[in-house]
Amino acid sequence: MASMITESDAAALDLLLEKVYRDGGHDFREYKRGTVTRRLGRRLRATGARTYLDYMQFLDAHPEEYQKLAEDLTIKTSGFFRSRYTFQQVARLVLPELVVYKLKRGERSLRFWSAACARGEEPYSIAILLAEFLGRRLWQFDISIHATDISRQALEEAQAGAYSAKDVEGLTATLLESYFTHCGESYEVRSDIRQMVSFSYFDLTSTTGQPFVDLDCIFCCNVLIYLRQTLQERVLNMLYDSLSTPGYLILGEVETPPVSLREKLECLDTKARIYKKNARTN
Ligand SMILES: C[S@@+](CC[C@H](N)C(=O)[O-])C[C@H]1O[C@@H](n2cnc3c(N)ncnc32)[C@H](O)[C@@H]1O
């Protein structure tokens, strides 16, 4: 039982996370221990393991458990326009400047990345925000919103783009009517909005380098909080390298970026944690 696990099991937990990385391919070694311990407790209860060592044996006998563990260790809570203030500030501070910059240079591409997209609410919110902001000019732009996550289950649901009444309850009636089709029990994201978003698997802890380059804007919200400081810094440096100049990094109201990153970026909004990467002047 989870309650039988004491502080002295820290070494066993390290061993278990090392095994999950080595044999299961999921790297939770640098996640904050509090959430990992709580969530692991669920898997121990579900599998009848009494200790981390028991659970390691269970993993050897049931390799399919690795995926279940990875799903349980990732918290997928999200919502459309989850931080209303952050999206408002993106519309106010980022989009006008970015669009003017692109038009001046005769560029038509707008490249976004939602770096921990969960079930798709965030990237679809970005697409809707762009549609609202650009209005008739939407079709002048070639928009790509890359959306990645490590939860295969969440990615599958995101790709389907169908949500329950509860999932969409935070949206205004106008947005719901404009961008969703009500089909039976569910609300489906309109196909032109879906076409702007492409979903794929990407692990932010990966050391293989960034999957995208020259991005105009990255949303990385409500995920760094689960990572230890050193891993947060590595992820943020990778995101920084993925940005074009100018490029915008949106961390939202919850994350606290390390000082090293704040020194490299111009802060446009301290509450929504909106940062701008400027071209180097030296
Ligand atoms: C709380 S949700 C945040 C969703 C959305 N960004 C938001 O702010 O509403 C956290 C997401 O991060 C994902 N995640 C956790 N670790 C990750 C990693 N190493 N790489 C990519 N995604 C990860 C989880 O699967 C989950 O979908």
Side-chain angles (χ1 to χ4, degrees), residues 261-275:
L261 184 90
R262 283 179 261 164
E263 282 166 355
K264 291 205 273 186
L265 296 165
E266 179 191 352
C267 183
L268 300 186
D269 187 295
T270 48
K271 187 175 167 211
R273 299 194 175 85
I274 298 178
Y275 297 90

Side-chain angles (χ1 to χ4, degrees), residues 48-78:
R50 291 170 60 84
T51 65
Y52 291 140
L53 295 175
D54 280 354
Y55 186 65
M56 284 164 75
Q57 286 172 356
F58 187 89
L59 283 167
D60 282 334
H62 304 87
E64 70 283 1
E65 176 64 16
Y66 283 109
Q67 191 53 39
K68 290 185 187 161
L69 172 64
E71 289 298 343
D72 257 9
L73 288 185
T74 46
I75 294 163
K76 267 99 60 184
T77 314
S78 191

Side-chain angles (χ1 to χ4, degrees), residues 111-115 123 144-148 196-199 212 215:
R111 291 165 48 74
F112 283 66
W113 181 15
S114 166
S144 41
I145 302 167
H146 301 286
T148 59
M196 291 187 221
V197 186
S198 52
F199 292 97
F212 312 109
L215 294 169

Side-chain angles (χ1 to χ4, degrees), residues 31 74-75 77-78 82 116 118 122 149 202-204 221-223:
Y31 279 55
T74 46
I75 294 163
T77 314
S78 191
R82 181 175 185 183
E122 183 176 276
D149 203 280
F202 180 70
D203 184 347
L204 288 167
C221 305
N222 301 296
V223 62

